Amino acid sequence: MPSLTLNGVTVNFPFPPYDCQKDYMSKVIECLQKSQNGVLESPTGTGKTLCLLCATLAWREHLKDTISAHKIAERLGGEEMFQNRPLSSWGTTATDSDALTHYTDLPKIIYASRTHSQLAQVISELKNTSYRPKVCVLGSREQLCINPEVMRQESNHVKVHMCRAKVSTRSCVYYNNTEEKSTDRDLVNSILDVEDLVKFGNKQRVCPYYLSRSLKQQADVIFMPYNYLLDPKEKTCEESTSFDLTPYDLASAINAVDRLLVEQTKGAIHGDSINEDLNVESLNSGLNVATIAKIKQILLDLEAAIDSYDVPSEKGITKPGIFIYELLERAHLTYNSKTAVCEALEQITGYLVGRQGIFLNTSGLQKLANLTQLVFCGEPSEKDRPQQMQSNTAYFKVHIHRDTSYQKKTQSTDVWASSSSKKQGNILSYWCFSPGFSMQDLVNQGVSCIILTSGTLSPLTSFTSEMRIKFPVSLENSHVIERDQIFVAVIEQGPDGVPLSSAFDRRFLPENMASLGNTVANLTRVVPHGLLVFFPSFPLMEKTLDFWRANGHADRIESIKPMFVEPKGKGIFTEVIDGYYNKINDPSSKGGSFFAVCRGKASEGLDFADTFGRGVIITGLPFPPRMDPRVILKMQFLDEMSQQKAPGLKYLSGQEWYRQQAFRAVNQAIGRVIRHKEDYGAILLCDQRFKSSDARTQLPSWVRPHVRLYGSFGNVIRDVSQFFRVAQKMRPVVEKKAAAESCGTVSLPDTRSSDFSPCSSSQSSHTQKAKVLDAHLPSLKRRRLNEHTGANGMARVCIEYECEMQESQKRPANLLDALEQGDHCSGEDDAGVGEEKANHLSTLSLQCDKRMDDELRGGKRKIKLVQEQVRKSSMQEEDDGGVHPNARLVGKLQRVH
């Protein structure tokens, strides 16, 4: 495995790194060595994950060597261990006065990502490195719990309380085995993701959730979703410190407390078992009828306080963040009472969740507990409270608005029920408008350095200013691809000449939706394999697809590339995406099309490498909803901050932020198409607003130089066809069927790809054989690029390829011959199979080229192949896309009209 030295640290890397990867790893090590925060932007497909892992783990190994050097120096009494290698050469920090002296002082590395699927990819990358640290992946009970009774619960917070109850009474057999199994050698020394942990738990009958917590103590690297760093409420940054308290939340909380209060009162009167059970499970901490009644009074007072405001039906009322304390004080919620209230809410929720046979919605109680913890964070003295309250709310706004959800609330006939719970009320929103609130909290916890990295961070100055912490180290990296691997087109009108636009006043016009449908249908004919189509929002996608189904556009798309649509819920998403992958892998299909939304799961967390994403269509600009109160307040907040002109900080204006949100979502979706150095694809921007120079400057730096503007749709089809013809000849991909049969996974053509297949080594010889055609036969390469694609030209190409293959066996003069000799060492038959696969691949690409040319001319023609059996008889068949695996192409192509 290659190694290189960066900033005095030796880094082991799976392959010789590209220049942009060296730059990236150098910046990572600089952050770690100087304990400085860094913001690093590198395009999707440049190997950020691998670079980040190798650089941080190499730095940690370097620190370990430093400690070893100090211990050796102490033993030697100041003498050098090696005459030609002084102690200072062991590392840049080896002789520092503040260097670490104990192995236990080595810092932990926390790797946080948005989703567990992304973390699974990261852990897969780690397995491809030479580093074997002790790792731990943290997940919620929803992902890790295997107790059947707990998993039957729908609400996550109900699962939490039920799990805690079982653990406290040791009634969970899986938890009871945790301590014994936590030292299992296979577990401690293995690199496991969430799925692996669950499999281990089921096999050993041990709780994966608490197992991951025990592994955390000894782990060198801890993988976790963002929310575990920022907040217990499974959201991120601004969202993690924001909430909405609805009338339904309050009504359900009041209803739950009512039921408990009635039962407790009846139990006190009749002395039955209800009271005894309650005392055993919850009242040991002092929860009694009086405390339950106080909680109910707080809920009623809070409901009355929120509903006391006469709210305009549309805009609502906005107050400064500090107003939240005034509002909550009317419900007797203060710093003095917060601890008792939170404990009582916890005990009430725990009891209600643990009851058998009766279900009560406790989400409202959980929301009130979360609200109290967020607003009253910190433990200031009486003297410091005003300053603490001001600091807590500096980046917040209180917004009270009318509840327009029309969600039916549970009507209770109980005499204890509040009448106010039966009417439509107001929503209390407490919104954070700066992610810096959470980032400062991380810094306050003593984190040595924070590295933020993504493919879409530009402009970095405005991004870092919002974080409210300093980022001395920064990087805007270039891409690793060549210009012939990417095609970018702005398509301003469809085949019928109608301008394409997703602007608010045009998006639902029948002529606009019809033109977009015709555009996508035509592009499906020239983009091979997988095609991704992104819409600005779910409502727009659903309405457009309904229109296409009613007017025949969907049928035209479906006939060429079967349609798969991203679902709103996460329940069936895996099934849909697996169906799409399977269709792409099907050798008998022409590919598939996947319709998704910007900012959705498919646009941010999935890998559409190689044939899974040869083209991406952006159907519009996904601007946030302009009239949404939260969007309006965010823009106002940024305008206020930019007017303050704080030294050293540059804020976006509200309008700039609004535009940036749309283009960041577009850039994220664009990043799905190029996933590694050998990948290629087309980016098709189907909205006339992309043609403005201001819009193009918002695109990623690696995309901007390749943008072409098209006024005529016919020219788009011509150039896209030409692009893929050249790309398929320059970078042919191994036949799908062969890859699927050999190991059941997709083998990527480049071993430097971000994903590694366990069977890639067994297929590498066949892959390389397919690639050497253009790479090692210069004369053929020039002819293929310069010739017209008529039948005679293709016949010459095919004959040339066959002749070269035969000659290379006779004269060992190039890399192709070396590959042949390597195959002969392992067996003559293997070499023959590889050769036949190369012929097969070439034939398929030629047929694809021919079919595209014929379609452009408007004619429908078939290709007739005359083939000869390798060992026995000759055979002639009409081929619709595949060639018999035991046949060799002789070189005669006939055009049949």
Side-chain angles (χ1 to χ4, degrees):
M1 184 168 289
S3 64
L4 65 156
T5 302
L6 301 170
N7 296 1
V9 176
T10 301
V11 181
N12 295 324
F13 209 64
F15 51 81
Y18 317 128
D19 289 339
C20 66
Q21 292 174 329
K22 293 178 184 178
D23 295 340
Y24 186 91
M25 288 189 284
S26 295
K27 290 292 185 179
V28 171
I29 294 172
E30 180 183 347
C31 292
L32 297 169
Q33 289 179 334
K34 296 180 179 179
S35 295
Q36 294 180 340
N37 301 328
V39 55
L40 313 178
E41 182 184 57
S42 192
T44 301
T46 51
K48 290 187 295 294
T49 300
L50 197 59
C51 291
L52 201 54
L53 289 171
C54 290
T56 51
L57 291 171
W59 169 78
R60 199 173 186 278
E61 292 290 330
H62 186 74
L63 284 186
K64 198 178 291 185
D65 290 343
T66 299
I67 297 173
S68 300
H70 275 285
K71 289 185 178 296
I72 293 171
E74 289 176 2
R75 292 287 183 89
L76 295 176
E79 297 180 8
E80 296 291 352
M81 184 175 181
F82 303 104
Q83 294 297 325
N84 298 327
R85 188 177 181 187
L87 179 63
S88 58
S89 68
W90 284 61
T92 55
T93 60
T95 56
D96 292 350
S97 59
D98 60 346
L100 305 177
T101 56
H102 301 285
Y103 292 113
T104 54
D105 295 334
L106 286 170
K108 289 184 183 293
I109 298 168
I110 297 176
Y111 194 114
S113 188
R114 182 179 177 186
T115 64
H116 279 289
S117 61
Q118 290 173 336
L119 289 177
Q121 292 176 11
V122 174
I123 294 172
S124 176
E125 290 281 22
L126 178 58
K127 294 176 182 178
N128 294 319
T129 71
S130 63
Y131 299 100
R132 287 298 176 265
K134 293 181 179 179
V135 304
C136 164
V137 56
L138 299 182
S140 67
R141 288 172 175 84
E142 187 172 357
Q143 282 98 27
L144 292 173
C145 180
I146 58 175
N147 186 300
E149 187 179 353
V150 175
M151 290 310 297
R152 277 198 297 267
Q153 310 304 315
E154 294 185 3
S155 172
N156 194 45
H157 81 272
V158 172
K159 292 177 182 176
V160 171
H161 284 284
M162 182 173 287
C163 173
R164 288 175 181 170
K166 288 184 174 295
V167 166
S168 63
T169 58
R170 298 195 68 84
S171 58
C172 176
V173 64
Y174 302 100
Y175 171 78
N176 295 342
N177 293 333
T178 301
E179 188 173 350
E180 176 187 350
K181 298 293 184 181
S182 61
T183 56
D184 187 289
R185 182 176 298 179
D186 291 338
L187 176 70
V188 175
N189 296 329
S190 300
I191 298 176
L192 306 178
D193 59 18
V194 168
E195 186 177 349
D196 297 328
L197 267 176
V198 171
K199 287 180 181 177
F200 182 87
N202 283 316
K203 183 178 179 181
Q204 302 290 338
R205 289 184 63 79
V206 61
C207 176
Y209 178 80
Y210 282 99
L211 207 56
S212 69
R213 265 64 186 165
S214 66
L215 291 174
K216 180 180 66 174
Q217 306 304 321
Q218 303 298 324
D220 303 324
V221 184
I222 303 174
F223 298 97
M224 63 179 72
Y226 292 139
N227 56 279
Y228 281 73
L229 283 177
L230 303 170
D231 192 81
K233 296 188 300 299
E234 300 197 10
K235 298 178 184 177
T236 57
C237 284
E238 289 181 29
E239 296 173 352
S240 73
T241 47
S242 303
F243 69 81
D244 298 287
L245 193 66
T246 68
Y248 180 73
D249 293 328
L250 288 170
S252 64
I254 293 169
N255 185 44
V257 174
D258 278 340
R259 295 287 295 270
L260 179 58
L261 201 52
V262 169
E263 292 176 7
Q264 176 66 2
T265 305
K266 288 179 179 178
I269 294 174
H270 301 291
D272 57 21
S273 59
I274 295 177
N275 187 35
E276 294 173 8
D277 291 341
L278 193 59
N279 278 320
V280 170
E281 296 191 18
S282 301
L283 300 188
N284 291 332
S285 302
L287 186 63
N288 50 37
V289 173
T291 305
I292 299 172
K294 286 181 181 178
I295 294 297
K296 178 180 178 181
Q297 192 60 52
I298 288 173
L299 289 165
L300 290 172
D301 290 343
L302 181 58
E303 184 181 52
I306 296 172
D307 289 342
S308 66
Y309 292 91
D310 186 14
V311 178
S313 58
E314 294 181 1
K315 295 184 178 180
I317 298 173
T318 303
K319 301 277 188 180
I322 195 75
F323 175 76
I324 193 70
Y325 291 106
E326 178 184 331
L327 183 66
L328 295 181
E329 191 173 3
R330 292 171 59 180
H332 312 289
L333 273 173
T334 64
Y335 263 107
N336 292 329
S337 65
K338 68 157 187 172
T339 303
V341 170
C342 286
E343 288 179 356
L345 289 170
E346 184 78 13
Q347 291 165 17
I348 291 172
T349 304
Y351 170 73
L352 293 174
V353 167
R355 294 194 312 170
Q356 298 292 328
I358 301 176
F359 173 76
L360 282 174
N361 189 343
T362 56
S363 60
L365 292 171
Q366 189 65 46
K367 270 198 175 184
L368 180 60
N370 292 339
L371 180 157
T372 306
Q373 291 172 356
L374 172 62
V375 173
F376 297 102
C377 62
E379 299 290 343
S381 62
E382 286 282 354
K383 179 182 177 182
D384 296 333
R385 276 183 191 172
Q387 184 179 354
Q388 177 77 39
M389 291 159 68
Q390 190 67 44
S391 174
N392 287 349
T393 59
Y395 308 119
F396 286 80
K397 297 283 187 184
V398 177
H399 187 69
I400 301 174
H401 48 116
R402 189 74 57 82
D403 179 20
T404 57
S405 64
Y406 303 106
Q407 186 172 13
K408 292 184 178 180
K409 303 167 182 61
T410 305
Q411 300 294 322
S412 174
T413 57
D414 200 313
V415 294
W416 292 78
S418 165
S419 60
S420 62
S421 67
K422 300 177 184 179
K423 65 180 182 181
Q424 183 177 351
N426 296 333
I427 297 175
L428 171 65
S429 296
Y430 184 59
W431 291 331
C432 176
F433 293 108
S434 173
F437 183 84
S438 295
M439 300 306 294
Q440 285 179 325
D441 186 48
L442 277 181
V443 173
N444 294 338
Q445 294 179 34
V447 176
S448 176
C449 78
I450 299 171
I451 299 176
L452 298 179
T453 182
S454 176
T456 51
L457 294 177
S458 298
L460 295 187
T461 52
S462 61
F463 179 83
T464 54
S465 66
E466 276 200 276
M467 294 296 158
R468 306 297 295 171
I469 59 175
K470 292 183 178 179
F471 288 92
V473 182
S474 64
L475 174 70
E476 291 185 77
N477 226 343
S478 57
H479 214 300
V480 295
I481 59 172
E482 303 295 335
R483 61 181 301 170
D484 65 313
Q485 291 173 254
I486 181 173
F487 179 89
V488 187
V490 175
I491 305 175
E492 59 179 280
Q493 63 182 25
D496 48 8
V498 175
L500 298 174
S501 175
S502 67
F504 184 76
D505 58 341
R506 285 192 52 82
R507 60 179 59 177
F508 294 131
L509 292 179
E511 58 267 29
N512 185 72
M513 291 191 287
S515 185
L516 181 60
N518 291 328
T519 300
V520 174
N522 279 279
L523 291 173
T524 58
R525 303 176 68 86
V526 293
V527 177
H529 308 300
L531 177 65
L532 310 175
V533 184
F534 287 101
F535 287 83
S537 66
F538 271 111
L540 179 55
M541 179 175 73
E542 290 169 351
K543 192 158 186 176
T544 303
L545 291 180
D546 287 342
F547 180 89
W548 290 355
R549 292 185 185 106
N551 292 274
H553 301 90
D555 292 336
R556 291 170 57 196
I557 298 170
E558 186 81 32
S559 65
I560 302 171
K561 296 187 185 299
M563 298 170 62
F564 298 84
V565 182
E566 178 181 8
K568 276 187 176 179
K570 60 183 179 181
I572 62 171
F573 181 85
T574 303
E575 297 176 17
V576 174
I577 197 67
D578 284 347
Y580 172 74
Y581 288 156
N582 292 335
K583 180 57 67 173
I584 301 300
N585 280 330
D586 183 359
S588 64
S589 77
K590 298 178 183 178
S593 55
F594 193 87
F595 293 80
V597 297
C598 295
R599 301 189 188 91
K601 197 165 185 176
S603 71
E604 298 185 3
L606 292 182
D607 187 12
F608 293 95
D610 297 301
T611 55
F612 293 133
R614 283 299 181 214
V616 56
I617 296 176
I618 306 295
T619 64
L621 286 166
F623 287 105
R626 188 60 182 264
M627 301 311 294
D628 186 295
R630 193 164 183 174
V631 173
I632 294 172
L633 292 177
K634 173 72 175 183
M635 295 173 68
Q636 290 176 359
F637 172 83
L638 288 173
D639 287 336
E640 293 170 7
M641 297 309 261
S642 60
Q643 290 170 7
Q644 292 179 6
K645 296 182 179 178
L649 292 177
K650 182 189 176 186
Y651 274 93
L652 289 172
S653 68
Q655 188 61 36
E656 288 171 336
W657 169 86
Y658 185 73
R659 287 182 58 79
Q660 190 186 86
Q661 290 303 297
F663 280 96
R664 276 210 173 128
V666 167
N667 296 345
Q668 194 74 37
I670 283 175
R672 302 305 96 198
V673 74
I674 305 290
R675 304 301 296 181
H676 58 87
K677 186 177 184 295
E678 291 297 323
D679 206 354
Y680 61 88
I683 299 168
L684 306 163
L685 307 173
C686 298
D687 191 312
Q688 62 180 354
R689 291 174 293 178
F690 280 109
K691 70 180 181 180
S692 72
S693 58
D694 183 44
R696 297 200 303 276
T697 59
Q698 298 288 327
L699 295 172
S701 57
W702 59 275
V703 170
R704 288 196 296 269
H706 308 287
V707 176
R708 308 182 193 180
L709 303 181
Y710 286 91
S712 168
F713 187 81
N715 292 338
V716 177
I717 296 296
R718 178 199 64 200
D719 290 353
V720 172
S721 302
Q722 176 66 18
F723 167 76
F724 281 112
R725 274 199 299 273
V726 173
Q728 287 175 324
K729 293 170 186 175
M730 295 286 289
R731 293 174 175 81
V733 180
V734 175
E735 182 198 352
K736 293 181 287 187
K737 185 174 181 181
E741 287 180 350
S742 59
C743 67
T745 60
V746 180
S747 177
L748 301 185
D750 182 23
T751 56
R752 296 187 182 186
S753 167
S754 59
D755 296 318
F756 290 79
S757 169
C759 65
S760 59
S761 60
S762 66
Q763 298 175 352
S764 60
S765 61
H766 307 324
T767 308
Q768 290 169 341
K769 282 184 182 180
K771 290 165 66 176
V772 294
L773 171 62
D774 285 338
H776 302 290
L777 301 177
S779 60
L780 175 56
K781 178 179 178 181
R782 286 194 299 272
R783 184 175 295 112
R784 293 184 70 182
L785 293 178
N786 297 332
E787 276 184 341
H788 296 292
T789 54
N792 295 333
M794 287 194 297
R796 287 198 299 272
V797 170
C798 210
I799 294 169
E800 181 74 12
Y801 179 64
E802 176 66 19
C803 293
E804 290 290 341
M805 289 293 292
Q806 293 174 354
E807 290 175 12
S808 66
Q809 296 174 10
K810 299 177 182 178
R811 48 183 177 83
N814 54 26
L815 179 59
L816 183 59
D817 183 60
L819 291 171
E820 289 291 340
Q821 290 181 352
D823 281 348
H824 284 311
C825 294
S826 60
E828 295 289 339
D829 293 339
D830 291 343
V833 171
E835 187 175 322
E836 288 162 4
K837 286 184 179 178
N839 290 340
H840 190 175
L841 175 69
S842 176
T843 305
L844 287 177
S845 64
L846 289 172
Q847 291 176 14
C848 181
D849 296 344
K850 181 69 176 135
R851 188 164 57 250
M852 289 179 180
D853 261 11
D854 289 343
E855 287 176 357
L856 284 175
R857 295 190 182 96
K860 294 184 178 179
R861 302 177 175 92
K862 292 184 178 180
I863 298 175
K864 189 173 183 180
L865 300 178
V866 180
Q867 299 168 336
E868 181 182 59
Q869 191 72 20
V870 176
R871 296 177 179 175
K872 298 182 180 180
S873 60
S874 61
M875 175 181 65
Q876 180 175 349
E877 71 177 46
E878 283 196 12
D879 189 287
D880 290 327
V883 181
H884 192 281
N886 292 325
R888 292 170 56 202
L889 181 62
V890 173
K892 183 177 181 182
L893 296 173
Q894 292 181 340
R895 179 170 294 179
V896 180
H897 293 273

